[in-house]
Amino acid sequence: MDEPFSALDVQTRAIMTNELLRLWEQTRPSVLFVTHDLEEAISMADLVVVMTAGPATVKAVYEIDLPRPRGAVQDIRFTPRFLELYRQIWESLREEVERTYALSAAATARRVAS
């Protein structure tokens, strides 16, 4: 699934996320869920994979050890373990975000200078 909820408003996204988790609990299929939303990734996943800025390779894999069933994703985001996972993964992801911005700024500077 490639960012299936990205065009939804916050309330509808929460409803759809809860529904997807409910359906997943019934059949437990394997799902590869691509998202740029770290909260969404942690609240839904068993594993979160952080990719490098480019070329895209696996930088780190984090096991999400939040209990299942997760219940309402809006509530789990306030638990201490969720916040701990968020901080840990964000540090790894932040490095890649900063690298991307630096590369983009350098490319823009080269275009302006030409």
Side-chain angles (χ1 to χ4, degrees):
M1 301 179 83
D2 188 358
E3 305 231 25
F5 306 142
S6 63
L8 302 176
D9 61 77
V10 173
Q11 295 81 9
T12 305
R13 179 185 287 217
I15 291 168
M16 296 304 294
T17 300
N18 290 337
E19 182 63 11
L20 179 60
L21 285 172
R22 187 187 67 72
L23 291 170
W24 181 86
E25 285 291 336
Q26 292 175 0
T27 60
R28 299 207 176 219
S30 296
V31 178
L32 177 63
F33 196 94
V34 177
T35 182
H36 290 88
D37 184 332
L38 184 52
E39 286 186 4
E40 183 176 67
I42 296 169
S43 65
M44 296 182 73
D46 292 319
L47 293 173
V48 170
V49 178
V50 174
M51 304 296 289
T52 59
T57 59
V58 174
K59 178 178 182 175
V61 178
Y62 297 90
E63 183 176 344
I64 306 302
D65 56 359
L66 298 171
R68 288 200 183 269
R70 301 254 165 100
V73 295
Q74 305 86 304
D75 297 333
I76 201 160
R77 294 176 182 184
F78 298 108
T79 64
R81 181 62 181 147
F82 181 95
L83 296 171
E84 181 182 338
L85 287 164
Y86 186 95
R87 275 187 238 108
Q88 182 182 16
I89 298 169
W90 173 245
E91 278 305 308
S92 178
L93 187 58
R94 181 184 53 77
E95 294 170 1
E96 298 310 312
V97 170
E98 289 173 352
R99 183 173 294 127
T100 299
Y101 281 125
L103 291 171
S104 178
T108 300
R110 283 192 302 274
R111 280 193 302 273
V112 170
S114 324

